[in-house]
Amino acid sequence: MSIYIGNLDYSATENDLKSVFICCGDILRVTIIKNMKTGHPKGAAFIEFMHREAVKAAMKMSGTQVNGELNLFYLDKLGFFSHKSSIDSDKQEAKTGKKT
């Protein structure tokens, strides 16, 4: 399970992100998106967590400062959802017991 981070300061490093989000749970991988030709960061990253609960905890940190303002979004195998959509999906799953 992963989160997407946008509006990330170009000077932010993988270690910066790990140090902020380690409180959410076990991190499998941090990937800072970079320009393929220049290698310069594009201001976005993905953090992959071991457990779904860690993703939920990370989503609560939307707007946290790490060398710039972060915008956090939920990403799963089915597609890209905003924070609100993922919360609504989780509520529906809890009511019905079925994953949407």
Side-chain angles (χ1 to χ4, degrees):
M1 308 274 339
S2 298
I3 61 170
Y4 168 82
I5 302 172
N7 199 27
L8 183 63
D9 189 274
Y10 296 129
S11 67
T13 66
E14 291 179 7
N15 285 334
D16 291 336
L17 295 172
K18 284 180 185 177
S19 68
V20 170
F21 290 98
I22 193 67
C23 64
C24 298
D26 295 329
I27 295 173
L28 295 176
R29 177 177 34 211
V30 175
T31 305
I32 295 179
I33 309 303
K34 297 180 180 178
N35 181 298
M36 289 176 45
K37 290 183 181 180
T38 66
H40 294 283
K42 290 183 149 188
F46 291 94
I47 300 179
E48 183 178 355
F49 292 96
M50 189 173 293
H51 304 287
R52 183 180 182 109
E53 293 78 23
V55 171
K56 290 179 183 179
M59 292 305 302
K60 293 177 184 175
M61 296 178 66
S62 183
T64 299
Q65 295 284 320
V66 180
N67 298 339
E69 188 174 332
L70 300 183
N71 295 312
L72 305 184
F73 297 90
Y74 180 79
L75 183 75
D76 75 2
K77 295 176 187 173
L78 299 176
F80 188 77
F81 302 93
S82 71
H83 182 193
K84 183 180 181 329
S85 296
S86 68
I87 298 297
D88 291 345
S89 176
D90 290 343
K91 286 179 184 175
Q92 183 64 25
E93 183 179 328
K95 285 181 184 177
T96 64
K98 295 179 182 176
K99 196 170 189 170
T100 56

